[in-house]
Amino acid sequence: MRIARFSIDGNVAFGAVEGTAPDALVLDIIKGIPFADFELSGTKVPLSKVRLLPPVLPSKVVAIGRNYAEHAAELGHSIVDDQGRPDAPVVFFKPSTSVSGPGDPIPYPSFSQEVHYEAELAVVIGRMCREVPRERVKDVILGYTCANDVTARDIQLSEKQWARAKGFDGSCPLGPWIETELDPADLAVGCTVNGEQRQLGRTSDMVRSVEELIVHVTEAMTLLPGDVILTGTPAGVGPLNVGDEVAVTIEGIGTLTNKVIKRG
Ligand code: MG
């Protein structure tokens, strides 16, 4: 099922996306919330009549860095230490205020000269959990969506922590919806800028799988319903400019499109 969050006539609701033709999608409005038992109301609205919102409002976005060897290499990093042992994953936060939805603008931060796109598979957590063993990971995942881990690369390189570089307002577009029936093991993850392909990787190239990442993160912290895990970006990252339209497409989910604007 594809679950979208949307507003219509000033009301916010979740709905199940139905149909396949892009111009003829409808939303069956959900009674309740997708993190608990819910049912479809049978009341349907055309997708073209609503404004899609970020599919969740996470209490936190936990992001993983250097989870694709080729991308780590393009930024000059190895994913193993001098003895050939795998490094611990890089884990960082993006604040709840960085989250935006499909079609929302990405305001170019005033303090950066080099903002990059990073297409990523996002995992949406469905229930409160901690210390999740590998065999229970499936039980805590509601589904998957597309994310753009927008990064002020110059600031990331010049400051010790990445809070400003990766946490500015609008730096975490999510959407367009949550796909609940998806095997994340081998999906194409792509990014285009103004229609030109810039990234195209596969989740099968992740250094650590979704299962390993959830185990690793929940060893340390409780995840709440709606929290999001970003699983890292494949190779091909590069700059965005004001006016660019950036689109993240993940096989089996859909496309998340955002435009870069001058920050007002
Ligand atoms: Mg990233």
Side-chain angles (χ1 to χ4, degrees), residues 63-66 71 92 94 118-120 149-151 153 166 230-233:
I64 308 299
R66 300 174 199 160
H71 166 64
F92 59 96
K94 290 172 86 79
E118 292 190 1
E120 309 205 3
D149 175 18
V150 184
T151 300
R153 193 72 71 202
K166 284 174 170 286
L230 303 191
T231 56
T233 198

